[in-house]
PDB file of all heavy atoms in Angstrom:
ATOM      1  N   SER D 859      41.437 -23.210  46.727  1.00  0.00           N
ATOM      2  CA  SER D 859      40.709 -23.344  45.441  1.00  0.00           C
ATOM      3  C   SER D 859      39.256 -23.169  45.737  1.00  0.00           C
ATOM      4  O   SER D 859      38.844 -23.289  46.764  1.00  0.00           O
ATOM      5  CB  SER D 859      40.982 -24.643  44.839  1.00  0.00           C
ATOM      6  OG  SER D 859      40.554 -25.686  45.633  1.00  0.00           O
ATOM      7  N   ARG D 860      38.554 -22.863  44.643  1.00  0.00           N
ATOM      8  CA  ARG D 860      37.183 -22.704  44.844  1.00  0.00           C
ATOM      9  C   ARG D 860      36.391 -23.917  44.437  1.00  0.00           C
ATOM     10  O   ARG D 860      36.721 -24.683  43.753  1.00  0.00           O
ATOM     11  CB  ARG D 860      36.675 -21.500  44.066  1.00  0.00           C
ATOM     12  CG  ARG D 860      36.493 -21.722  42.554  1.00  0.00           C
ATOM     13  CD  ARG D 860      36.124 -20.451  41.828  1.00  0.00           C
ATOM     14  NE  ARG D 860      36.784 -19.348  42.505  1.00  0.00           N
ATOM     15  CZ  ARG D 860      38.083 -19.039  42.320  1.00  0.00           C
ATOM     16  NH1 ARG D 860      38.737 -19.713  41.424  1.00  0.00           N
ATOM     17  NH2 ARG D 860      38.612 -18.085  42.934  1.00  0.00           N
ATOM     18  N   THR D 861      35.167 -23.993  45.063  1.00  0.00           N
ATOM     19  CA  THR D 861      34.169 -25.026  44.588  1.00  0.00           C
ATOM     20  C   THR D 861      33.142 -24.442  43.839  1.00  0.00           C
ATOM     21  O   THR D 861      33.201 -24.496  42.568  1.00  0.00           O
ATOM     22  CB  THR D 861      33.624 -25.687  45.849  1.00  0.00           C
ATOM     23  OG1 THR D 861      33.082 -24.751  46.710  1.00  0.00           O
ATOM     24  CG2 THR D 861      34.665 -26.507  46.663  1.00  0.00           C
ATOM     25  N   GLN D 862      32.233 -23.741  44.423  1.00  0.00           N
ATOM     26  CA  GLN D 862      31.110 -23.021  43.647  1.00  0.00           C
ATOM     27  C   GLN D 862      31.199 -21.585  43.822  1.00  0.00           C
ATOM     28  O   GLN D 862      30.837 -21.090  44.951  1.00  0.00           O
ATOM     29  CB  GLN D 862      29.763 -23.599  44.192  1.00  0.00           C
ATOM     30  CG  GLN D 862      28.623 -22.989  43.317  1.00  0.00           C
ATOM     31  CD  GLN D 862      28.549 -23.430  41.859  1.00  0.00           C
ATOM     32  OE1 GLN D 862      28.946 -24.487  41.598  1.00  0.00           O
ATOM     33  NE2 GLN D 862      28.257 -22.522  41.018  1.00  0.00           N
ATOM     34  N   PRO D 863      31.706 -20.801  42.887  1.00  0.00           N
ATOM     35  CA  PRO D 863      31.841 -19.347  43.020  1.00  0.00           C
ATOM     36  C   PRO D 863      30.531 -18.691  43.124  1.00  0.00           C
ATOM     37  O   PRO D 863      29.501 -18.987  42.471  1.00  0.00           O
ATOM     38  CB  PRO D 863      32.574 -18.881  41.777  1.00  0.00           C
ATOM     39  CG  PRO D 863      32.289 -19.986  40.769  1.00  0.00           C
ATOM     40  CD  PRO D 863      32.099 -21.266  41.500  1.00  0.00           C
ATOM     41  N   THR D 864      30.401 -17.676  44.010  1.00  0.00           N
ATOM     42  CA  THR D 864      29.170 -16.789  44.167  1.00  0.00           C
ATOM     43  C   THR D 864      29.579 -15.397  44.238  1.00  0.00           C
ATOM     44  O   THR D 864      30.445 -15.133  44.960  1.00  0.00           O
ATOM     45  CB  THR D 864      28.391 -17.285  45.444  1.00  0.00           C
ATOM     46  OG1 THR D 864      28.298 -18.743  45.354  1.00  0.00           O
ATOM     47  CG2 THR D 864      27.207 -16.651  45.545  1.00  0.00           C
ATOM     48  N   ALA D 865      28.948 -14.536  43.601  1.00  0.00           N
ATOM     49  CA  ALA D 865      29.220 -13.185  43.556  1.00  0.00           C
ATOM     50  C   ALA D 865      29.007 -12.508  44.945  1.00  0.00           C
ATOM     51  O   ALA D 865      28.179 -12.979  45.675  1.00  0.00           O
ATOM     52  CB  ALA D 865      28.393 -12.489  42.551  1.00  0.00           C
ATOM     53  N   MET D 866      29.844 -11.523  45.254  1.00  0.00           N
ATOM     54  CA  MET D 866      29.749 -10.805  46.436  1.00  0.00           C
ATOM     55  C   MET D 866      28.496 -10.077  46.402  1.00  0.00           C
ATOM     56  O   MET D 866      27.770  -9.812  45.379  1.00  0.00           O
ATOM     57  CB  MET D 866      30.965  -9.872  46.656  1.00  0.00           C
ATOM     58  CG  MET D 866      32.144 -10.668  47.006  1.00  0.00           C
ATOM     59  SD  MET D 866      33.675  -9.519  47.056  1.00  0.00           S
ATOM     60  CE  MET D 866      33.265  -8.548  48.501  1.00  0.00           C
ATOM     61  N   TRP D 876      37.030  -6.919  39.182  1.00  0.00           N
ATOM     62  CA  TRP D 876      37.137  -8.242  39.727  1.00  0.00           C
ATOM     63  C   TRP D 876      35.722  -8.923  39.705  1.00  0.00           C
ATOM     64  O   TRP D 876      35.525 -10.142  39.470  1.00  0.00           O
ATOM     65  CB  TRP D 876      37.662  -8.195  41.120  1.00  0.00           C
ATOM     66  CG  TRP D 876      39.131  -7.682  41.086  1.00  0.00           C
ATOM     67  CD1 TRP D 876      39.527  -6.384  41.046  1.00  0.00           C
ATOM     68  CD2 TRP D 876      40.335  -8.460  40.938  1.00  0.00           C
ATOM     69  NE1 TRP D 876      40.844  -6.264  40.943  1.00  0.00           N
ATOM     70  CE2 TRP D 876      41.388  -7.546  40.966  1.00  0.00           C
ATOM     71  CE3 TRP D 876      40.565  -9.778  41.018  1.00  0.00           C
ATOM     72  CZ2 TRP D 876      42.643  -8.009  40.715  1.00  0.00           C
ATOM     73  CZ3 TRP D 876      41.853 -10.244  40.816  1.00  0.00           C
ATOM     74  CH2 TRP D 876      42.910  -9.298  40.727  1.00  0.00           C
ATOM     75  N   GLN D 877      34.602  -8.165  40.029  1.00  0.00           N
ATOM     76  CA  GLN D 877      33.286  -8.751  39.945  1.00  0.00           C
ATOM     77  C   GLN D 877      32.810  -8.933  38.459  1.00  0.00           C
ATOM     78  O   GLN D 877      32.244  -9.975  38.198  1.00  0.00           O
ATOM     79  CB  GLN D 877      32.334  -7.795  40.723  1.00  0.00           C
ATOM     80  CG  GLN D 877      32.569  -7.688  42.202  1.00  0.00           C
ATOM     81  CD  GLN D 877      31.421  -7.061  42.877  1.00  0.00           C
ATOM     82  OE1 GLN D 877      30.302  -7.712  43.111  1.00  0.00           O
ATOM     83  NE2 GLN D 877      31.592  -5.950  43.251  1.00  0.00           N
ATOM     84  N   ASN D 879      34.434  -9.648  36.105  1.00  0.00           N
ATOM     85  CA  ASN D 879      35.247 -10.803  35.533  1.00  0.00           C
ATOM     86  C   ASN D 879      35.170 -12.090  36.359  1.00  0.00           C
ATOM     87  O   ASN D 879      36.013 -12.914  36.273  1.00  0.00           O
ATOM     88  CB  ASN D 879      36.508 -10.377  35.181  1.00  0.00           C
ATOM     89  CG  ASN D 879      36.622  -9.290  34.029  1.00  0.00           C
ATOM     90  OD1 ASN D 879      36.412  -9.669  32.839  1.00  0.00           O
ATOM     91  ND2 ASN D 879      36.797  -8.069  34.441  1.00  0.00           N
ATOM     92  N   HIS D 880      34.143 -12.152  37.206  1.00  0.00           N
ATOM     93  CA  HIS D 880      33.928 -13.446  37.910  1.00  0.00           C
ATOM     94  C   HIS D 880      34.927 -13.779  38.847  1.00  0.00           C
ATOM     95  O   HIS D 880      35.197 -15.082  39.077  1.00  0.00           O
ATOM     96  CB  HIS D 880      33.473 -14.585  36.910  1.00  0.00           C
ATOM     97  CG  HIS D 880      32.667 -14.134  35.867  1.00  0.00           C
ATOM     98  ND1 HIS D 880      31.337 -13.887  36.027  1.00  0.00           N
ATOM     99  CD2 HIS D 880      32.838 -13.975  34.545  1.00  0.00           C
ATOM    100  CE1 HIS D 880      30.739 -13.515  34.868  1.00  0.00           C
ATOM    101  NE2 HIS D 880      31.732 -13.486  33.958  1.00  0.00           N
ATOM    102  N   LEU D 881      35.623 -12.872  39.542  1.00  0.00           N
ATOM    103  CA  LEU D 881      36.720 -13.189  40.491  1.00  0.00           C
ATOM    104  C   LEU D 881      36.367 -12.587  41.947  1.00  0.00           C
ATOM    105  O   LEU D 881      37.270 -12.364  42.737  1.00  0.00           O
ATOM    106  CB  LEU D 881      37.926 -12.513  40.048  1.00  0.00           C
ATOM    107  CG  LEU D 881      38.555 -13.337  38.761  1.00  0.00           C
ATOM    108  CD1 LEU D 881      39.713 -12.436  38.184  1.00  0.00           C
ATOM    109  CD2 LEU D 881      39.020 -14.640  39.077  1.00  0.00           C
ATOM    110  N   ALA D 882      35.031 -12.441  42.156  1.00  0.00           N
ATOM    111  CA  ALA D 882      34.704 -11.953  43.521  1.00  0.00           C
ATOM    112  C   ALA D 882      33.686 -13.007  44.130  1.00  0.00           C
ATOM    113  O   ALA D 882      32.770 -13.393  43.389  1.00  0.00           O
ATOM    114  CB  ALA D 882      33.964 -10.540  43.437  1.00  0.00           C
ATOM    115  N   TYR D 883      33.914 -13.213  45.396  1.00  0.00           N
ATOM    116  CA  TYR D 883      33.159 -14.299  46.066  1.00  0.00           C
ATOM    117  C   TYR D 883      32.675 -13.964  47.427  1.00  0.00           C
ATOM    118  O   TYR D 883      33.297 -13.138  48.070  1.00  0.00           O
ATOM    119  CB  TYR D 883      34.030 -15.633  46.022  1.00  0.00           C
ATOM    120  CG  TYR D 883      34.648 -15.948  44.731  1.00  0.00           C
ATOM    121  CD1 TYR D 883      35.878 -15.543  44.376  1.00  0.00           C
ATOM    122  CD2 TYR D 883      33.843 -16.585  43.717  1.00  0.00           C
ATOM    123  CE1 TYR D 883      36.314 -15.715  43.061  1.00  0.00           C
ATOM    124  CE2 TYR D 883      34.380 -16.924  42.467  1.00  0.00           C
ATOM    125  CZ  TYR D 883      35.621 -16.434  42.170  1.00  0.00           C
ATOM    126  OH  TYR D 883      36.104 -16.652  40.916  1.00  0.00           O
ATOM    127  N   TRP D 884      31.699 -14.697  47.879  1.00  0.00           N
ATOM    128  CA  TRP D 884      31.221 -14.516  49.242  1.00  0.00           C
ATOM    129  C   TRP D 884      32.310 -14.997  50.225  1.00  0.00           C
ATOM    130  O   TRP D 884      32.627 -14.201  51.207  1.00  0.00           O
ATOM    131  CB  TRP D 884      30.005 -15.475  49.460  1.00  0.00           C
ATOM    132  CG  TRP D 884      28.758 -14.856  49.110  1.00  0.00           C
ATOM    133  CD1 TRP D 884      27.918 -15.333  48.008  1.00  0.00           C
ATOM    134  CD2 TRP D 884      27.929 -13.865  49.758  1.00  0.00           C
ATOM    135  NE1 TRP D 884      26.808 -14.558  47.847  1.00  0.00           N
ATOM    136  CE2 TRP D 884      26.786 -13.657  48.939  1.00  0.00           C
ATOM    137  CE3 TRP D 884      28.191 -12.924  50.780  1.00  0.00           C
ATOM    138  CZ2 TRP D 884      25.787 -12.781  49.146  1.00  0.00           C
ATOM    139  CZ3 TRP D 884      27.303 -12.057  51.103  1.00  0.00           C
ATOM    140  CH2 TRP D 884      26.079 -12.025  50.266  1.00  0.00           C
ATOM    141  N   ASN D 885      32.909 -16.117  49.973  1.00  0.00           N
ATOM    142  CA  ASN D 885      33.799 -16.612  50.997  1.00  0.00           C
ATOM    143  C   ASN D 885      35.222 -16.104  50.751  1.00  0.00           C
ATOM    144  O   ASN D 885      35.813 -16.418  49.815  1.00  0.00           O
ATOM    145  CB  ASN D 885      33.865 -18.257  50.812  1.00  0.00           C
ATOM    146  CG  ASN D 885      34.663 -18.890  51.884  1.00  0.00           C
ATOM    147  OD1 ASN D 885      35.382 -18.104  52.647  1.00  0.00           O
ATOM    148  ND2 ASN D 885      34.636 -20.088  51.948  1.00  0.00           N
ATOM    149  N   TYR D 886      35.688 -15.325  51.776  1.00  0.00           N
ATOM    150  CA  TYR D 886      37.095 -14.649  51.536  1.00  0.00           C
ATOM    151  C   TYR D 886      38.094 -15.766  51.421  1.00  0.00           C
ATOM    152  O   TYR D 886      39.234 -15.501  50.972  1.00  0.00           O
ATOM    153  CB  TYR D 886      37.291 -13.753  52.716  1.00  0.00           C
ATOM    154  CG  TYR D 886      37.950 -14.364  54.013  1.00  0.00           C
ATOM    155  CD1 TYR D 886      39.224 -14.479  54.156  1.00  0.00           C
ATOM    156  CD2 TYR D 886      37.111 -14.929  54.954  1.00  0.00           C
ATOM    157  CE1 TYR D 886      39.809 -15.048  55.218  1.00  0.00           C
ATOM    158  CE2 TYR D 886      37.610 -15.512  56.071  1.00  0.00           C
ATOM    159  CZ  TYR D 886      38.964 -15.516  56.308  1.00  0.00           C
ATOM    160  OH  TYR D 886      39.465 -16.207  57.354  1.00  0.00           O
ATOM    161  N   VAL D 888      38.272 -18.125  49.522  1.00  0.00           N
ATOM    162  CA  VAL D 888      38.406 -18.632  48.135  1.00  0.00           C
ATOM    163  C   VAL D 888      39.120 -17.466  47.334  1.00  0.00           C
ATOM    164  O   VAL D 888      38.492 -16.392  47.177  1.00  0.00           O
ATOM    165  CB  VAL D 888      37.011 -18.910  47.564  1.00  0.00           C
ATOM    166  CG1 VAL D 888      37.180 -19.305  46.122  1.00  0.00           C
ATOM    167  CG2 VAL D 888      36.319 -19.975  48.292  1.00  0.00           C
ATOM    168  N   PHE D 889      40.331 -17.848  46.859  1.00  0.00           N
ATOM    169  CA  PHE D 889      41.163 -16.711  46.107  1.00  0.00           C
ATOM    170  C   PHE D 889      41.363 -17.320  44.721  1.00  0.00           C
ATOM    171  O   PHE D 889      41.628 -18.401  44.474  1.00  0.00           O
ATOM    172  CB  PHE D 889      42.333 -16.512  46.930  1.00  0.00           C
ATOM    173  CG  PHE D 889      42.240 -16.115  48.365  1.00  0.00           C
ATOM    174  CD1 PHE D 889      42.300 -16.920  49.372  1.00  0.00           C
ATOM    175  CD2 PHE D 889      42.065 -14.686  48.542  1.00  0.00           C
ATOM    176  CE1 PHE D 889      42.025 -16.481  50.640  1.00  0.00           C
ATOM    177  CE2 PHE D 889      41.846 -14.240  49.802  1.00  0.00           C
ATOM    178  CZ  PHE D 889      41.902 -15.031  50.810  1.00  0.00           C
ATOM    179  N   PRO D 890      41.546 -16.256  43.743  1.00  0.00           N
ATOM    180  CA  PRO D 890      41.734 -16.527  42.423  1.00  0.00           C
ATOM    181  C   PRO D 890      43.194 -17.197  42.308  1.00  0.00           C
ATOM    182  O   PRO D 890      44.071 -16.799  43.211  1.00  0.00           O
ATOM    183  CB  PRO D 890      41.737 -15.198  41.704  1.00  0.00           C
ATOM    184  CG  PRO D 890      40.987 -14.298  42.618  1.00  0.00           C
ATOM    185  CD  PRO D 890      41.272 -14.835  43.924  1.00  0.00           C
ATOM    186  N   GLU D 894      43.710 -18.819  36.640  1.00  0.00           N
ATOM    187  CA  GLU D 894      42.300 -18.257  36.486  1.00  0.00           C
ATOM    188  C   GLU D 894      42.425 -16.838  36.152  1.00  0.00           C
ATOM    189  O   GLU D 894      41.721 -16.146  35.316  1.00  0.00           O
ATOM    190  CB  GLU D 894      41.458 -18.455  37.778  1.00  0.00           C
ATOM    191  CG  GLU D 894      40.215 -17.970  37.580  1.00  0.00           C
ATOM    192  CD  GLU D 894      39.287 -18.296  38.781  1.00  0.00           C
ATOM    193  OE1 GLU D 894      39.904 -18.680  39.975  1.00  0.00           O
ATOM    194  OE2 GLU D 894      38.083 -18.305  38.768  1.00  0.00           O
ATOM    195  N   ARG D 898      40.950 -14.986  32.820  1.00  0.00           N
ATOM    196  CA  ARG D 898      40.031 -13.757  32.890  1.00  0.00           C
ATOM    197  C   ARG D 898      40.521 -12.558  32.284  1.00  0.00           C
ATOM    198  O   ARG D 898      39.759 -11.664  31.768  1.00  0.00           O
ATOM    199  CB  ARG D 898      39.637 -13.538  34.399  1.00  0.00           C
ATOM    200  CG  ARG D 898      38.906 -14.722  35.057  1.00  0.00           C
ATOM    201  CD  ARG D 898      37.608 -15.052  34.288  1.00  0.00           C
ATOM    202  NE  ARG D 898      36.895 -16.040  34.989  1.00  0.00           N
ATOM    203  CZ  ARG D 898      35.799 -16.737  34.465  1.00  0.00           C
ATOM    204  NH1 ARG D 898      35.211 -16.262  33.316  1.00  0.00           N
ATOM    205  NH2 ARG D 898      35.223 -17.690  35.061  1.00  0.00           N
ATOM    206  N   ARG D1001      40.570 -25.942  30.974  1.00  0.00           N
ATOM    207  CA  ARG D1001      39.090 -25.761  31.411  1.00  0.00           C
ATOM    208  C   ARG D1001      38.179 -26.818  30.811  1.00  0.00           C
ATOM    209  O   ARG D1001      37.271 -27.361  31.447  1.00  0.00           O
ATOM    210  CB  ARG D1001      38.545 -24.348  31.017  1.00  0.00           C
ATOM    211  CG  ARG D1001      39.271 -23.221  31.802  1.00  0.00           C
ATOM    212  CD  ARG D1001      38.584 -21.845  31.369  1.00  0.00           C
ATOM    213  NE  ARG D1001      37.490 -21.670  31.984  1.00  0.00           N
ATOM    214  CZ  ARG D1001      36.222 -21.590  31.313  1.00  0.00           C
ATOM    215  NH1 ARG D1001      36.043 -21.779  30.157  1.00  0.00           N
ATOM    216  NH2 ARG D1001      35.119 -21.312  32.094  1.00  0.00           N
ATOM    217  N   PRO D1005      36.664 -29.001  34.150  1.00  0.00           N
ATOM    218  CA  PRO D1005      36.011 -27.698  34.569  1.00  0.00           C
ATOM    219  C   PRO D1005      36.082 -27.274  35.939  1.00  0.00           C
ATOM    220  O   PRO D1005      36.048 -26.192  36.254  1.00  0.00           O
ATOM    221  CB  PRO D1005      34.587 -27.893  34.044  1.00  0.00           C
ATOM    222  CG  PRO D1005      34.679 -29.000  32.977  1.00  0.00           C
ATOM    223  CD  PRO D1005      35.800 -29.902  33.455  1.00  0.00           C
ATOM    224  N   LYS D1006      36.085 -28.298  36.954  1.00  0.00           N
ATOM    225  CA  LYS D1006      36.030 -27.953  38.291  1.00  0.00           C
ATOM    226  C   LYS D1006      37.289 -27.574  38.967  1.00  0.00           C
ATOM    227  O   LYS D1006      37.415 -26.843  39.816  1.00  0.00           O
ATOM    228  CB  LYS D1006      35.453 -29.219  39.069  1.00  0.00           C
ATOM    229  CG  LYS D1006      33.978 -29.307  38.745  1.00  0.00           C
ATOM    230  CD  LYS D1006      33.420 -30.391  39.616  1.00  0.00           C
ATOM    231  CE  LYS D1006      31.806 -30.736  39.392  1.00  0.00           C
ATOM    232  NZ  LYS D1006      31.334 -31.741  40.239  1.00  0.00           N
ATOM    233  N   THR D1007      38.443 -28.147  38.541  1.00  0.00           N
ATOM    234  CA  THR D1007      39.567 -27.948  39.183  1.00  0.00           C
ATOM    235  C   THR D1007      40.900 -27.477  38.261  1.00  0.00           C
ATOM    236  O   THR D1007      41.966 -27.525  38.676  1.00  0.00           O
ATOM    237  CB  THR D1007      40.209 -29.231  39.808  1.00  0.00           C
ATOM    238  OG1 THR D1007      40.405 -30.349  38.848  1.00  0.00           O
ATOM    239  CG2 THR D1007      39.104 -29.774  40.819  1.00  0.00           C
ATOM    240  N   TRP D1008      40.421 -26.823  37.065  1.00  0.00           N
ATOM    241  CA  TRP D1008      41.533 -26.628  36.119  1.00  0.00           C
ATOM    242  C   TRP D1008      42.386 -25.486  36.536  1.00  0.00           C
ATOM    243  O   TRP D1008      43.567 -25.395  36.249  1.00  0.00           O
ATOM    244  CB  TRP D1008      40.835 -26.093  34.761  1.00  0.00           C
ATOM    245  CG  TRP D1008      40.080 -24.863  34.919  1.00  0.00           C
ATOM    246  CD1 TRP D1008      38.774 -24.687  35.342  1.00  0.00           C
ATOM    247  CD2 TRP D1008      40.555 -23.590  34.620  1.00  0.00           C
ATOM    248  NE1 TRP D1008      38.374 -23.350  35.369  1.00  0.00           N
ATOM    249  CE2 TRP D1008      39.542 -22.613  34.988  1.00  0.00           C
ATOM    250  CE3 TRP D1008      41.818 -23.023  34.278  1.00  0.00           C
ATOM    251  CZ2 TRP D1008      39.539 -21.288  34.853  1.00  0.00           C
ATOM    252  CZ3 TRP D1008      41.853 -21.699  34.145  1.00  0.00           C
ATOM    253  CH2 TRP D1008      40.878 -20.785  34.434  1.00  0.00           C
ATOM    254  N   MET D1009      41.940 -24.701  37.431  1.00  0.00           N
ATOM    255  CA  MET D1009      42.761 -23.482  37.920  1.00  0.00           C
ATOM    256  C   MET D1009      43.792 -23.955  38.986  1.00  0.00           C
ATOM    257  O   MET D1009      44.615 -23.135  39.469  1.00  0.00           O
ATOM    258  CB  MET D1009      41.829 -22.365  38.484  1.00  0.00           C
ATOM    259  CG  MET D1009      41.171 -22.720  39.874  1.00  0.00           C
ATOM    260  SD  MET D1009      39.806 -23.906  39.817  1.00  0.00           S
ATOM    261  CE  MET D1009      38.610 -23.001  38.836  1.00  0.00           C
TER     262      MET D1009
END
Side-chain angles (χ1 to χ4, degrees):
S859 63
R860 75 186 36 79
T861 51
Q862 184 64 39
T864 308
M866 290 173 66
W876 298 83
Q877 289 192 79
N879 291 287
H880 314 290
L881 291 169
Y883 307 95
W884 278 107
N885 185 352
Y886 84 91
V888 179
F889 298 96
E894 187 174 17
R898 294 300 179 187
R1001 290 182 81 248
K1006 290 186 177 180
T1007 63
W1008 67 274
M1009 72 287 290

